Amino acid sequence: MRRTLTLLIAALALAACGSSDDSEALDWTAAKDPAGANGGLAWADAQTGEVHLPDGVTLAADRAIRSFVVAGAGAYVVDKDSESLVEVTADGARATGAYVNKGAKASPNGRYLAFIDPKAGPKFEGTTHQLTSVVVDLKTGKEVLRSTRGMGDPEEDDLTNLYESAAYGVLAVSDETAWFSVPDGGVLSVDLASGKVSSIRSSDISDENNPWATPRLSPPTPGGPANSDRSWAIYHVVKPDPAQSTDPAVTFPHDELESADGSRLVPRADAENWYLKQWVDDTTVAGFANTGLDDPEMVKNTRSSSLLTCTVPGGACDSVPDSEYAILPEPNLLE
């Protein structure tokens, strides 16, 4: 396989670069038994903020949300309007004091939370602050990392222009490592046990060989992630559907599943159209389905779709009741 990852690992794991600044650290809840989303289907209602955990417990954020992760003692959601990062547990919702505009990610075991805070760093001008990478150990309630490394220099750089033109965000979080794409063009690799940081220069962040990339079949299946053992992958399919639109230029998703041997499976979705998004486990994939919709623009709007799960190798699918505004948790790996 093509391998474009070049490791200019400036193993500059200096304390000043990799450790948290205790004077700026926020107050985080310590969870005795952190839990992630790897135990089954988790989803949330984007309009109400109601979070459905894999164990069947439902939590109430009581606000519209744009994204969420399952971690710690419950979930962390991003407020749709304020971009505030909110902890949601059985005791209710609590603003953490952090902000997220690119989506937080959590480790599969739910112990670590990683995000970039757009308001935590020194103010540059107007509403622009220097970005700050943050990693929290939710078992101890302590920050593993709080760093502005790779985020530009407020004294020398025009941070407003830099952030508008640069790609940045949390690439992935495993149970051992977090990876951040930072505006200076590099990738920060954070060892979660020690907080030590290494700089990685990658010529192609999306390369499937990168450690932060979601599994794929080889050769890659069009657009779709594979399950963890690479036995099945999502195969994205779009095609015209005369029953929904007489315009042949209008296409609709009818995703399939491809096995490692190249055979394709059409899921029994019982819907006009559907698309598959992420794996719940090695035999279950989750996505969204539209039933009884005639407006092509509405069909393409995931907020008017119902949540769907399908299994391999049989292809049976089930719709989740009352999930018209469902969103899935942020994946821990880069898709």
Side-chain angles (χ1 to χ4, degrees):
M1 278 189 186
R2 177 176 60 95
R3 186 169 183 84
T4 57
L5 177 64
T6 56
L7 299 179
L8 264 176
I9 300 185
L12 305 173
L14 304 176
C17 295
S19 60
S20 297
D21 182 348
D22 291 339
S23 65
E24 301 294 333
L26 298 175
D27 181 23
W28 299 94
T29 302
K32 181 180 179 181
D33 297 304
N38 57 353
L41 178 67
W43 63 281
D45 188 307
Q47 285 195 336
T48 66
E50 187 175 76
V51 180
H52 299 260
L53 299 181
D55 61 5
V57 171
T58 301
L59 306 176
D62 295 324
R63 70 196 70 214
I65 63 174
R66 62 173 59 184
S67 64
F68 81 103
V69 294
V70 178
Y76 286 81
V77 306
V78 177
D79 187 289
K80 180 181 178 181
D81 297 321
S82 68
E83 298 183 342
S84 172
L85 182 65
V86 179
E87 178 191 24
V88 188
T89 68
D91 295 325
R94 180 188 73 90
T96 63
Y99 293 85
V100 177
N101 64 359
K102 291 286 187 176
K105 288 185 180 291
S107 58
N109 62 11
R111 176 169 179 172
Y112 296 98
L113 177 70
F115 59 93
I116 291 179
D117 193 322
K119 299 184 179 182
K123 189 172 184 179
F124 172 65
E125 65 178 11
T127 59
T128 302
H129 292 250
Q130 189 178 28
L131 299 173
T132 303
S133 302
V134 181
V135 178
V136 186
D137 183 341
L138 297 173
K139 186 171 184 177
T140 65
K142 302 295 184 182
E143 292 184 0
V144 174
L145 175 79
R146 177 172 287 270
S147 174
T148 57
R149 180 171 169 174
M151 301 301 189
D153 186 339
E155 300 298 325
E156 299 181 3
D157 300 324
D158 185 333
L159 297 187
T160 302
N161 288 338
L162 175 64
Y163 296 162
E164 287 178 351
S165 59
Y168 61 87
V170 184
L171 294 174
V173 186
S174 71
D175 290 339
E176 297 81 27
T177 309
W179 294 273
F180 291 84
S181 173
V182 289
D184 75 353
V187 172
L188 300 184
S189 174
V190 184
D191 180 85
L192 299 178
S194 66
K196 291 182 179 179
V197 181
S198 299
S199 294
I200 299 175
R201 292 288 172 179
S202 174
S203 59
D204 183 2
I205 285 179
S206 63
D207 182 2
E208 66 183 60
N209 293 305
N210 289 326
W212 52 80
T214 195
R216 305 271 172 177
L217 290 185
S218 182
T221 293
N227 56 7
S228 64
D229 66 5
R230 291 180 168 85
S231 59
W232 288 89
I234 296 169
Y235 192 102
H236 291 310
V237 176
V238 293
K239 58 185 180 182
D241 187 344
Q244 296 180 75
S245 175
T246 56
D247 185 350
V250 177
T251 59
F252 301 89
H254 290 78
D255 285 352
E256 299 176 6
L257 293 156
E258 183 181 30
S259 70
D261 65 11
S263 61
R264 300 250 293 272
L265 170 69
V266 178
R268 301 194 301 276
D270 191 27
E272 274 78 11
N273 59 79
W274 61 91
Y275 75 94
L276 304 176
K277 186 170 177 64
Q278 64 183 230
W279 290 90
V280 176
D281 54 41
D282 282 341
T283 61
T284 309
V285 65
F288 299 90
N290 287 290
T291 58
L293 299 176
D294 298 319
D295 181 354
E297 292 306 313
M298 188 176 183
V299 167
K300 295 178 182 179
N301 180 1
T302 63
R303 293 295 186 269
S304 63
S305 306
S306 293
L307 190 60
L308 178 81
T309 61
C310 301
T311 59
V312 293
C317 299
D318 291 305
S319 295
V320 177
D322 302 319
S323 61
E324 288 78 8
Y325 298 95
I327 56 174
L328 292 167
E330 290 290 304
N332 68 293
L333 295 177
L334 178 67
E335 294 187 342

